Each structure stands twice: as structure tokens, then as C-alpha cells.
Amino acid sequence: MSIAAQERLVRPARNILGSLCLPGDKSISHRYAMLSAFAEGVSRFTNFSTGADCASTLACMAALGAKVNRTGPDSVEITGVAGRVTPAKHPLDCGNSGSTMRMISGLLAPQQGRFTLIGDASLSRRPMERIRKPLEAMGARLTLTEGHAPLTIDGGPLIAIDYTTPVPSAQVKSCILLAGLQTAGTTTIREAVRTRDHSELALRAFGASVTRTADSVSIGGPQPLHAIDAAVPGDLSSAAFFLCAAVLFPGSNLVLDAIGLNPTRASLLDVLTALGARISVLNLEEKHAELVGTVQISAPAEGMGSTEIGGALAAQLIDELPVLAAIAPYTSGGIRIRGARELRVKESDRIALAAKNLRAMGAEVEEFEDGLDVPGGQTLHGATIDSGGDHRIAMAFSVAALRAEGETLIQGAESASISFPEFFDLLDRVAER
Ligand code: S3P
């Protein structure tokens, strides 16, 4: 079989064994890049995300006047603009990255000038109304293209607001926080589900004061930010592919070093434990208020059980749901996912693509508007996988392929580099064949 550059053949494995260090967390890298570029002084980061998404953020911040110096493949030195960006001559290209577009919009809305943000075909289909509403409530002017990018911001001084987010979204929360940081008065965001709190922790690390209650976060403005040095924790959402691969093989033993274990991100460990995985966490420490630790995992000798995911858990696990759906046929009792409608507006419609690709591998699956029912006890066969150019779909089905009968061809495999360029090499390193 001839394989195109964008394709990858994944062969079944016999076991998952070894230890890995994973590249830096994508969410934290975006925030450190934006905040350091906005701060006063020179920040230095190691284990910075190697993904294309964070490179988009760095390029946007450089276009806005920050000095970005790549000091190594995963290290970067950023000299900030001390609170005042330069309007870019060209549109800011956010690539495939929703985090870049939504968070930078909040950073730019209070700045003087006109800013245009563009993205690739996938990003240009994703909903941006969710940031227009709160930013306009603060007095900003945002022009969208039928609810999507390209978007133009006519920036200027804003007013503080008290805003309840209609859909749980850390990106929207962060967008408002970054605008609130530069706005006189106290801006409050209320959320029904506590989404990842990397922005709150990062803002504090850069010297800002952020207060929090059980269901709200507030920031007073304007506040200056000061440069930091930091090592970015390993990305738990990238680790998810390896953790899920490890639970497929009784006798597996995998160690992942220095992984970010922020409690608003770490629900996957509870879900895998509920499925029967044996997990231990060692060397737990705090770095700039982010928890980091070594995760050791082995599969249950008796195989995985079953689980249901819904409500707040679905929101907190949103990036891990594709890989959980992909391993669900190999559980004994299946996995039921609900309350995950947001999956339909990610880099692709992840519910539709998960169902399509599970079926391509011979699995039975029922699709719902807000989730999937994947029965357990199924045998899958190798197939051609349509990743839809979505990095998490490409990687999720590479994991499903490890226990299928026969080889699996992943189309659009290069999309893994959006968050995790090293994925296929590291998978080959720990997969015993
Ligand atoms: C992210 C938040 C989530 C997540 C995305 C990264 C972040 O998106 O899916 O991959 O870094 O804040 P939403 O905030 O839109 O749910």
C-alpha cells in the first residue's frame, strides 16, 4: 500500500511499556505566551508546547510588538510590550487555534486601534458570538462574519461587567479576564461549571490579583503584569492518548513524567480509575500554582469495566472525550457520554467523526445530539480513518487501532502536529509489537 505524506499506518500492538516526558501543556503555553508578551520584562519558558497552535499565538504576539526569541525547540524567551500593543499591519492569523482567537480578542478589545483576526477553514467555522456578547457588554466593538472569523475589533477603553457564561468555556472566561485586567473597576465572570483555571493561576503568577468564589472569578483593573521564568508542565490532554492506550493491554506499565495535574483538568484519571486502571501519582509539586506530578498507569488484569460521563464531568473532560469514545468498544460494559454538545463545535464535529470512525472499524455506536453510546465487548478491525483534519480525532483513532485486528490508515495524520507533533514517534517508542 502506498501511503501519502498526510497519512499514517498504525499497526496493532501487543503491549504498552516504558516511560515518557511529554511536551508542555497547550492551554498553559498559550496563556504564558500571551501574558508574558503583554507584561513588562523578559520571560523565559522551557518545555513550551511544540504544537502549531501555540506557534500561532507566539506569531500573533510578535506581530503585536512583543519580542519572541525561540531559544530551543521547546524553549522561548519573550520580551513584553508592558501593557501597550502595536496594532499589527496585517490580519493576525490564529491558524487552527480557537484559544488564540478567543483569548487574544479579550486582550485586544481594551487596546487602542483596529485589529483583524483570521483563522484556517476549521477555525472560520467555529462560533465567535460567545466572545462578541460579553466584549460588547463591556463597550467593545466586534464585527464578525456571520458569527465567525474573520473578526475585527475596534478597541478602546471598556467598562467592567458582571457576566454569566451561557456555555461552560475556559476560553470565553479567559477572554473576559484579559479584558477585565485592563479595565477600571471589577469584572466578574460566573460559570455554572468550573472550567479549567489556568488563566486565573497564570494571571496571579504574573503578579495580578484575581479573586474566586465557588462559581465566580473576579479581576480588578487596570493591573500591570511582570515577567516570569517557568517550566511548562507536560500536557495531560496529550498524555490522555498514552494513558488510554495503556489501559487497553493487561500487563501494561507506563510512566509519564512531569505531567500537569491541575484539578480542573485531571478528571480523566478518575474516569480511568473507574474503568479499573491502576494509577499512582508520584513526586507531586506545585509550579506557579499548577500541580505537576509523575503518573504511573497499568491496565486492569480483568479488563476495563464501564462508565457514564455527563454534566460537569463532560465539560471538564471535553478534550479527552474523543479518545475515551475510541477505546470504549474494548471495555466490557461500554461508555455512555452525554452533555457534550460542545464537541460538535470543536476543530471538527467530534461526535459525528467519532461515530463515523468507530463504525468504519466495525463498531456499533449510537449517536446523540450531545454524546454517544458505545457498547463494550466489541472487536474492531483496521480501517481507513477520516480525521477531518482534527488532531484529537487522528490521535484518538491511532489509539483504537492498537487493539484492532489488522492495520489502520489514519488520513490527515499530520494534524496531530496542531497540539502534539511528537505523537507518532512517542507512540512507536512505547508500543510493543
Ligand atoms: C481550552 C478550553 C477548551 C478546550 C480547548 C482549550 C483552553 O475550550 O476544548 O482545547 O485552553 O482554555 P472551550 O473553552 O471552548 O471549552
Side-chain angles (χ1 to χ4, degrees):
M1 190 193 299
S2 82
I3 302 194
Q6 303 83 354
E7 296 175 345
R8 193 86 187 201
L9 198 62
V10 181
R11 286 178 294 124
R14 284 185 292 114
N15 204 354
I16 297 287
L17 288 174
S19 97
L20 296 173
C21 267
L22 299 186
D25 186 86
K26 178 161 88 71
S27 291
I28 298 175
S29 296
H30 279 305
R31 286 153 174 88
Y32 284 179
M34 283 180 209
L35 296 184
S36 61
F38 191 68
E40 172 159 23
V42 184
S43 295
R44 290 173 199 86
F45 303 112
T46 55
N47 204 40
F48 189 85
S49 168
T50 47
D53 269 6
C54 292
S56 293
T57 291
L58 288 175
C60 288
M61 298 319 294
L64 291 164
K67 217 181 326 151
V68 174
N69 180 15
R70 290 276 199 176
T71 46
D74 63 356
S75 57
V76 60
E77 191 179 86
I78 299 173
T79 309
V81 298
R84 180 107 354 255
V85 307
T86 320
K89 289 191 196 71
H90 303 290
L92 297 163
D93 189 353
C94 303
N96 191 243
S97 174
S99 301
T100 307
M101 185 167 280
R102 295 190 179 121
M103 294 197 287
I104 282 190
S105 295
L107 195 70
L108 295 180
Q111 294 277 316
Q112 214 63 55
R114 168 171 279 211
F115 306 92
T116 299
L117 276 63
I118 58 171
D120 69 5
S122 150
L123 182 53
S124 303
R125 284 192 294 269
R126 297 182 64 188
M128 292 297 147
E129 202 56 49
R130 53 182 66 189
I131 56 165
R132 191 183 65 79
K133 283 216 174 86
L135 290 177
E136 289 205 338
M138 296 179 84
R141 272 185 302 142
L142 253 79
T143 311
L144 306 181
T145 312
E146 291 170 10
H148 310 279
L151 67 87
T152 300
I153 301 166
D154 285 296
L158 304 183
I159 48 168
I161 52 165
D162 188 321
Y163 188 76
T164 302
T165 52
V167 278
S169 167
Q171 294 177 357
V172 173
K173 173 178 64 175
S174 305
C175 166
I176 304 169
L177 278 171
L178 293 176
L181 170 75
Q182 305 168 66
T183 301
T186 301
T187 295
T188 298
I189 303 116
R190 298 177 197 278
E191 46 181 11
V193 172
R194 190 170 198 180
T195 59
R196 61 189 72 190
D197 66 357
H198 302 302
S199 293
E200 295 89 310
L201 302 184
L203 279 160
R204 286 190 188 140
F206 282 82
S209 154
V210 178
T211 53
R212 197 150 82 174
T213 67
D215 61 357
S216 76
V217 47
S218 298
I219 188 161
Q223 297 187 63
L225 300 181
H226 303 292
I228 64 167
D229 285 355
V232 180
D235 195 322
L236 184 58
S237 298
S238 298
F241 300 105
F242 290 92
L243 297 171
C244 287
V247 294
L248 297 179
F249 300 95
S252 65
N253 189 356
L254 181 72
V255 176
L256 303 176
D257 283 321
I259 296 296
L261 295 171
N262 178 316
T264 62
R265 286 284 296 285
S267 307
L268 176 70
L269 301 187
D270 301 328
V271 171
L272 293 177
T273 304
L275 285 170
R278 300 202 179 85
I279 297 180
S280 36
V281 174
L282 315 160
N283 309 326
L284 205 57
E285 52 180 330
E286 239 182 78
K287 291 190 173 168
H288 292 296
E290 291 285 357
L291 275 185
V292 185
T294 296
V295 178
Q296 192 256 328
I297 187 165
S298 52
E302 63 289 1
M304 288 180 284
S306 66
T307 195
E308 290 192 12
I309 297 164
L313 188 58
Q316 285 169 343
L317 270 174
I318 199 78
D319 290 342
E320 287 71 66
L321 293 178
V323 67
L324 284 168
I327 63 164
Y330 304 118
T331 62
S332 62
I335 298 184
R336 182 186 159 95
I337 299 170
R338 289 292 187 284
R341 198 179 307 262
E342 275 293 296
L343 277 183
R344 294 204 180 266
V345 291
K346 293 292 179 189
E347 286 83 328
S348 69
D349 178 342
R350 288 179 172 164
I351 293 178
L353 274 181
K356 174 182 173 181
N357 287 315
L358 279 166
R359 288 188 186 118
M361 297 183 81
E364 197 188 302
V365 50
E366 198 176 346
E367 183 179 336
F368 296 84
E369 182 49 33
D370 66 339
L372 297 158
D373 275 359
V374 189
Q378 306 195 60
T379 303
L380 269 51
H381 56 72
T384 296
I385 296 299
D386 170 13
S387 72
D390 182 325
H391 55 130
R392 297 207 196 278
I393 296 291
M395 293 187 278
F397 282 88
S398 301
V399 172
L402 297 174
R403 254 204 48 190
E405 286 172 1
E407 295 174 334
T408 294
L409 185 71
I410 311 285
Q411 291 182 327
E414 85 291 352
S415 60
S417 65
I418 288 294
S419 59
F420 195 1
E422 305 80 354
F423 172 73
F424 288 104
D425 290 345
L426 295 180
L427 190 60
D428 280 343
R429 204 186 297 168
V430 294
E432 299 261 300
R433 288 188 159 112

